[in-house]
Amino acid sequence: MSDKFKVLYYVNQFFGQIGGEDKAGIEPEFRKEKVGPAIGFESKLKSEGEVIGTLICGDNYFNEHKEESLSFVMDVIKKEAPDIFVAGPAFNAGRYGVACAEICKAVADEMGIPVVTGMYIENPGLDTCRKEAYVIETSDSAGGMRKALPSMAKITCKLAKGLEIGSPEEEGFIARGMRKSLIVEKRGSLRAVEMLLKRLKGEEFETEMPMPVFNIVEPAAAIKDLSKATIALCTSGGIVPAGNPDHIQSASAQKWGKYDVSGRDALNAPDFYTTHGGYDPVYANEIPDRVAPLDILKEFEKEGYIGKVNNYFYTTTGTGTSVANAVKFGTEIGKELKEAGVDGVILTST
Amino acid sequence: MVKEIERYGIPIVHMATITTISQSVGANRIVPTVAIPHPVGNPTLKPEDEKALRKEMVKRALDALATDITETTHFE
């Protein structure tokens, strides 16, 4: 019997070295070996623990078959009985992040073992698992692997051995929104006055109670009469006119485009295709309306179900695009739509 | 993008496959779609069936725009 603690590892098809977007539909599988980042991760465990196997699943498959994927993963985990579960890091990859998050949450809830993953702070999976998992904060791309793995391994060792976990800042994980009692030398009133004095002097100070930032937009009022409404079509699926005249990036978009579709019945091939680098483009390139359904909107316009399809179609690429840029695009596009008198918007995402 | 467009008071419906992402970014009206590489299509169907499917989904999205809501709503 080895006295090393046992780690089970999860990666997607890319980090599992099966393939890129064309393999994103693969079903989950389990290998009794270390694959991809699991190798580097184990080397950082300083022989205290070992990776007993790697679960691999395609990002699309997981997100499109969540129940089946989770049940496969949970069966393996029950059988292998690891001491701790590790997933990713997913950096800023949305589908991968969601997969890591859903699995981490399920493992923590059902198995009660510690779970560790790594994500960029803007990863859409973060909110799902930040309470259950220790999520090491990473850079937004896989270039940050070298930095992420040691932090993930360090906290894994501590958790496996039941050692005290330091603050999020010390350990490098993203705050879980929990409060912990601890004994400090100075009483609260003294700390509060010191903080206030620092603040009055314009010095740096650190709050003990960061407030959550809520940024919610209330639902806009419904359209009263669809048959008189102008509807605009937007997509983050990267559908562009052939040749991509505005050079919209295939990932981490810096800009959006708008194209006059008033004279068209559909966004058909070969006039349009996708420039999006984050999903398998085969189906979108065959029939771009599968991503941005202009064909159907035009039919509804002809039938009088809606008043009109907006003359311009708006498009960008959603993959890896920063929240800051997405906010900027939304603000700019929204302004144009408002000025054009658009009554409602359909935005499709891949 | 969805949230910032809605901030102008224009109702917007997000058609997406990973609805957890849609919800976490603050979409209020959500229509779940078929698959990531073809949200409003299904290449395994016959062309006319695929088109009927797309039409049904887009109709659901339009009807969502014409429905008053007070909180995040999935139109399934």
Side-chain angles (χ1 to χ4, degrees), chain A residues 64 290 303 305 331 349, chain B residues 8 14 36 50 54-55 63:
Chain A
E64 289 164 10
R290 283 172 173 158
E303 293 166 13
Y305 195 71
T331 307
S349 288
Chain B
Y8 288 92
H14 194 204
I36 291 153
E50 183 181 9
R54 179 152 63 247
K55 192 154 186 178
D63 292 343

Side-chain angles (χ1 to χ4, degrees), chain A residues 228-242:
Chain A
K228 294 195 176 79
T230 300
I231 305 294
L233 181 61
C234 295
T235 189
S236 65
I239 303 295
V240 292

Side-chain angles (χ1 to χ4, degrees), chain A residues 76-294:
Chain A
V76 170
I77 293 173
K78 279 173 194 154
K79 205 165 141 235
E80 300 295 324
D83 300 305
I84 190 157
F85 184 77
V86 178
F91 305 103
N92 198 26
R95 287 165 298 162
Y96 189 20
V98 169
C100 288
E102 296 277 0
I103 295 172
C104 283
K105 186 174 156 46
V107 173
D109 288 348
E110 288 182 42
M111 307 296 294
I113 59 170
V115 290
V116 174
T117 183
M119 290 184 196
Y120 179 57
I121 188 81
E122 290 183 1
N123 193 303
L126 178 61
D127 281 344
T128 303
C129 71
R130 72 188 303 169
K131 283 199 182 71
E132 290 81 6
Y134 285 92
V135 185
I136 296 296
E137 183 168 357
T138 71
S139 66
D140 61 353
S141 78
M145 187 68 90
R146 233 171 245 261
K147 239 187 115 193
L149 289 181
S151 302
M152 286 170 65
K154 191 173 154 220
I155 203 164
T156 298
C157 284
K158 282 191 169 183
L159 286 164
K161 292 193 287 183
L163 300 177
E164 177 93 4
I165 302 297
S167 69
E169 295 77 25
E170 284 163 33
E171 305 281 357
F173 66 89
I174 298 171
R176 304 165 82 195
M178 287 179 185
R179 288 192 220 173
K180 203 171 164 182
S181 301
L182 50 98
I183 296 178
V184 289
E185 275 182 25
K186 294 176 183 172
R187 64 180 189 271
S189 52
L190 192 55
R191 301 204 306 276
V193 170
E194 283 178 355
M195 208 185 290
L196 183 63
L197 287 174
K198 278 190 177 175
R199 201 167 175 178
L200 288 171
K201 287 188 220 157
E203 289 173 6
E204 289 267 321
F205 66 96
E206 203 177 318
T207 178
E208 292 181 15
M209 182 67 213
M211 298 305 287
V213 182
F214 291 109
N215 183 1
I216 294 167
V217 175
E218 294 294 322
I223 296 171
K224 296 256 172 337
D225 184 355
L226 276 177
S227 70
K228 294 195 176 79
T230 300
I231 305 294
L233 181 61
C234 295
T235 189
S236 65
I239 303 295
V240 292
N244 190 10
D246 295 314
H247 310 289
I248 293 173
Q249 290 81 2
S250 61
S252 305
Q254 304 292 321
K255 54 180 150 184
W256 49 272
K258 66 168 182 177
Y259 302 101
D260 187 351
V261 289
S262 56
R264 300 192 70 88
D265 288 328
L267 294 178
N268 41 330
D271 299 355
F272 285 80
Y273 63 60
T274 182
T275 184
H276 197 292
Y279 64 91
D280 184 351
V282 172
Y283 312 106
N285 287 343
E286 256 171 30
I287 305 177
D289 289 289
R290 283 172 173 158
V291 171
L294 184 74

Side-chain angles (χ1 to χ4, degrees), chain A residues 30-82:
Chain A
F30 176 62
R31 294 193 202 161
K32 286 195 176 244
E33 58 182 351
K34 298 175 283 287
V35 184
I39 300 168
F41 175 84
E42 192 190 72
S43 73
K44 303 283 188 293
L45 295 177
K46 295 181 233 148
S47 309
E48 292 175 357
E50 61 176 335
V51 176
I52 55 167
T54 312
L55 281 155
I56 308 170
C57 182
D59 283 335
N60 287 353
Y61 188 87
F62 183 89
N63 283 285
E64 289 164 10
H65 304 87
K66 201 169 100 183
E67 302 299 317
E68 294 99 307
S69 305
L70 276 177
S71 109
F72 179 91
V73 166
M74 294 310 296
D75 283 349
V76 170
I77 293 173
K78 279 173 194 154
K79 205 165 141 235
E80 300 295 324

